[in-house]
Amino acid sequence: MKAVSTGTLAGAGSFSCAICGFAVALQEQDEIPDCPSCGGGSFKRCSMFGTTLSHAPPRPEADHPAWLAEARDSLADPGDYIAYDAGDSTVAVLLKDGWTRVGRSLSADLRLDDPTVSRRHALIYRDEEGARVLDDRSLNGVFRNGERVELAQLCDGDTLTVGRFNLHFLRQ
């Protein structure tokens, strides 16, 4: 049994950051996250209906992280990759032709287990013409290089922000 202290669980529903208004969706037993936009830790319950939720752009990285060049050098096979910091390690995932599901769901091909990530957050489609990202009706949105997108072509070096994760698109 996992013990939690009072005030760390919010319950299911939609919440917005009390500082910047960034919206997140939480499920039962999800811990209250730090805000992906401003880093604040105070959220208030909000409605998805009747009001417009604020989706502030995520905090951009100053530059690509130091580990990214090393990750790029370690890629042996040609192809398109998504590289990201998983907390305890860095991960580079080779994208196959067709659809790659990104989200918090157990059925996601690229699973990001964090309350700021929707169960079905984004889809990446790869074929001989290149790769594209599609927002899969996520609450917090998908950002390419700091700009919110619904559908966007991916180029080598692009940074996708999905919840609190920065995913780096690499073409080898």
Side-chain angles (χ1 to χ4, degrees), residues 4-87:
V4 294
S5 60
T6 305
T8 60
L9 299 177
S14 298
F15 297 84
S16 63
C17 176
I19 297 169
C20 71
F22 192 90
V24 297
L26 300 177
Q27 301 299 317
E28 300 83 13
Q29 303 298 310
D30 282 347
E31 293 187 21
I32 299 172
D34 289 334
C35 178
S37 177
C38 72
S42 178
F43 285 84
K44 60 184 177 183
R45 190 170 294 279
C46 65
S47 172
M48 288 177 36
F49 307 103
T51 60
T52 302
L53 298 175
S54 171
H55 296 284
R59 292 173 288 179
E61 294 177 343
D63 275 322
H64 290 296
W67 59 264
L68 191 58
E70 184 179 319
R72 184 185 290 275
D73 291 341
S74 71
L75 302 176
D77 298 324
D80 294 335
Y81 292 82
I82 293 291
Y84 65 98
D85 183 353

